[in-house]
């Protein structure tokens, strides 16, 4: 993973979300993806906040897009590692999010851990 690779992935990911293009969003994820998020815990009523598998992740994202038709992300920074990236972004409500994304050998997201400075109450 290079700096350019990380920024390219991040910009493509943010553009897909800002376009509310669920099919394009899902191209970033592996079939066996695992996401962990306190928002998922709250919205789905699960204690561990896990969403496992691309089909369930798609349903979760669809629910989020439907709940906020004005949802837009502003990419603030990107950090990269060996096979991972961290996207740091904000939304218009002022919430800041950092998502650690572990990538597969194919370059798609295999695991996500989302962290927020605030979330739904």
């Amino acid at each position: 993973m290079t700096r350019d690779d990380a920024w390219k992935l991040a910009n493509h990911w943010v553009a897909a979300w800002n376009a509310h293009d669920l099919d394009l969003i899902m191209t970033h994820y592996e079939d066996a993806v695992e996401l962990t998020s306190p928002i998922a815990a709250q919205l789905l009523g699960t204690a561990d906040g896990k969403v496992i598998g691309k089909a369930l992740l798609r349903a979760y994202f669809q629910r989020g897009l439907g709940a906020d038709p004005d949802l837009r992300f502003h990419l603030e920074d990107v950090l990269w590692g060996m096979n991972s990236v961290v996207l740091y972004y904000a939304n218009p409500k002022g919430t800041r999010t950092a998502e650690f994304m572990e990538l597969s050998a194919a370059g798609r997201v295999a695991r996500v851990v989302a962290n927020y400075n605030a979330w739904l109450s």
Side-chain angles (χ1 to χ4, degrees):
M1 173 73 53
T2 67
R3 179 186 189 280
D4 289 343
D5 293 336
W7 276 95
K8 182 178 177 181
L9 171 70
N11 283 317
H12 193 267
W13 185 90
V14 167
W17 274 96
N18 287 348
H20 290 220
D21 186 334
L22 188 55
D23 290 332
L24 190 56
I25 292 167
M26 296 312 298
T27 65
H28 296 101
Y29 297 92
E30 287 291 345
D31 289 341
V33 64
E34 179 180 304
L35 174 137
T36 305
S37 164
I39 291 179
Q42 184 176 7
L43 290 179
L44 303 176
T46 62
D48 63 4
K50 289 191 186 297
V51 179
I52 299 173
K54 198 169 185 177
L56 292 176
L57 186 66
R58 181 183 181 91
Y60 170 64
F61 286 167
Q62 188 169 26
R63 184 174 175 181
L65 288 169
D68 190 353
D70 297 324
L71 181 68
R72 290 194 54 80
F73 297 144
H74 171 73
L75 188 60
E76 296 192 356
D77 204 357
V78 179
L79 294 82
W80 63 97
M82 296 302 294
N83 294 307
S84 62
V85 294
V86 175
L87 279 56
Y88 183 64
Y89 59 91
N91 69 33
K93 296 176 183 174
T95 300
R96 300 263 188 282
T97 304
E99 290 197 25
F100 165 81
M101 299 177 175
E102 187 174 6
L103 305 176
S104 69
R108 288 185 295 276
V109 179
R111 187 169 68 99
V112 182
V113 179
N115 297 269
Y116 306 90
N117 72 335
W119 59 80
L120 304 174
S121 56

